[in-house]
Amino acid sequence: MVVGVAGVAGKAVVDFLPGKVCLIGAGPGDPELLTLRAARLIREADVIVFDHLVSEAILDLSPPSAARIYAGKERGAHTLPQEELNLLLVHLAQQNKRVVRLKGGDPYTFGRGGEEVEILFEHGIPFEVIPGITAAAGVAAYAGIPLTHRDYAQACVFVTGHLKDGSMNLDWPGLARPRQTVVIYMGLHGLPVLCQKMIEHGLPSDWPAAIVQQGTTPHQRTVTGTLATLPELAHSARLKAPTLIIVGEVVKLRDKLAWFESGGH
Ligand code: SAH
């Protein structure tokens, strides 16, 4: 075992040297869900490149002198094309800045973090990746829906419900399984297709399902129903992005476990 200077097994905690990019997960919304390491690195940044899901309170941790660059990524409004963004990170690092790339949730969960880091690697830019609490974990905790539970689900699958040309190319037989929880990111627009496909592939139409808007924030709202009823219920609730869909029997536990929306925070 290698013991670093800071006394940590493995690699020592290194300083945020100029010319390095730290790809940081900002968590799902509640600023207090940020890791300590993320907070420390943000405080040392010269420039922050951030996505729209990152809260103001987290950005405010950066020094007043730090430049803030908005990278966008709202549905239908990609401010910077991914290729330009990747190169922007390279250029900033080459200018010897301490670059923080802040993404909502976890950078390696539907965050294109892998693509950004590959480009850094190809250009020989030193980088570090700091995980964040992904929306599924944050929403599960704050909406009172455990992702696994010995009585209901031994597996949990995360998928993207983003529609491509109006359809979704997912492994439907693999998703429509009992004793499993399915978490769908970016699924609001595809919700009717999603529910219909899961029923077609064998799940009962009264299988529990929930959709959670702006989880872990004061605007969190949860709509629960079944595969048959959720699309209509979600539509009439006029939910606002971002939303996360959870399908599975664990949704039933919410009746007992929903502490956050009842003001327990
Ligand atoms: N890297 C992020 C996911 C980025 S994709 C993560 O690990 O969480 C963006 C999608 O994440 C949104 O469309 C939505 O489905 C989900 N999401 C992110 N934050 C959310 C939140 N606070 N509440 C509900 N869903 C959220």
Side-chain angles (χ1 to χ4, degrees):
M1 182 168 69
V2 184
V3 178
V5 285
V8 181
K11 220 169 127 191
V13 175
V14 273
D15 287 333
F16 193 172
L17 297 173
K20 178 171 175 176
V21 177
C22 289
L23 177 63
I24 298 181
D30 183 343
E32 290 196 34
L33 294 178
L34 195 69
T35 64
L36 294 174
R37 184 158 187 76
R40 180 170 78 77
L41 294 167
I42 293 167
R43 287 197 184 98
E44 293 176 13
D46 295 319
V47 51
I48 311 259
V49 182
F50 65 100
D51 283 354
H52 81 287
L53 288 177
V54 176
S55 75
E56 199 62 33
I58 289 178
L59 291 173
D60 285 345
L61 293 174
S62 62
S65 58
R68 292 182 186 184
I69 302 177
Y70 176 60
K73 292 257 186 60
E74 273 160 284
R75 195 191 150 78
H78 283 214
T79 312
L80 268 186
Q82 188 72 38
E83 296 71 31
E84 277 179 38
L85 175 64
N86 294 345
L87 288 177
L88 172 71
L89 296 176
V90 170
H91 291 149
L92 289 168
Q94 285 170 341
Q95 288 163 23
N96 238 15
K97 309 263 192 232
R98 293 177 190 84
V99 184
V100 160
R101 172 72 179 108
L102 255 185
K103 288 175 164 293
D106 174 67
Y108 277 179
T109 309
F110 304 120
R112 301 205 190 174
E115 294 169 43
E116 292 178 18
V117 170
E118 272 181 281
I119 304 288
L120 296 174
F121 170 81
E122 281 161 21
H123 285 80
I125 307 286
F127 60 84
E128 188 174 321
V129 182
I130 292 87
I133 294 184
T134 190
V139 162
Y142 280 50
I145 305 174
L147 295 177
T148 66
H149 187 288
R150 283 193 294 168
D151 295 338
Y152 303 110
Q154 275 77 47
C156 177
V157 195
F158 295 176
V159 294
T160 165
H162 193 68
L163 289 171
K164 234 184 181 171
D165 311 324
S167 70
M168 238 180 279
N169 195 9
L170 294 174
D171 167 22
W172 298 112
L175 296 183
R177 284 199 182 133
R179 305 195 73 74
Q180 170 174 278
T181 305
V182 181
V183 179
I184 301 118
Y185 288 69
M186 297 169 271
L188 180 60
H189 290 262
L191 184 61
V193 181
L194 241 149
C195 291
Q196 187 204 331
K197 288 277 186 192
M198 295 238 214
I199 296 171
E200 273 172 27
H201 286 82
L203 284 179
S205 56
D206 64 353
W207 196 245
I211 182 162
V212 184
Q213 147 188 317
Q214 297 171 314
T216 80
T217 77
H219 309 292
Q220 176 173 316
R221 279 172 68 206
T222 305
V223 176
T224 54
T226 64
L227 287 178
T229 63
L230 195 65
E232 184 48 41
L233 292 172
H235 181 71
S236 25
R238 296 172 193 276
L239 297 179
K240 292 203 186 83
T243 59
L244 194 81
I245 299 158
I246 303 181
V247 176
E249 288 190 291
V250 286
V251 169
K252 294 193 283 197
L253 291 159
R254 180 177 148 73
D255 290 342
K256 286 188 273 183
L257 306 184
W259 58 276
F260 179 67
E261 285 158 63
S262 54
H265 197 38

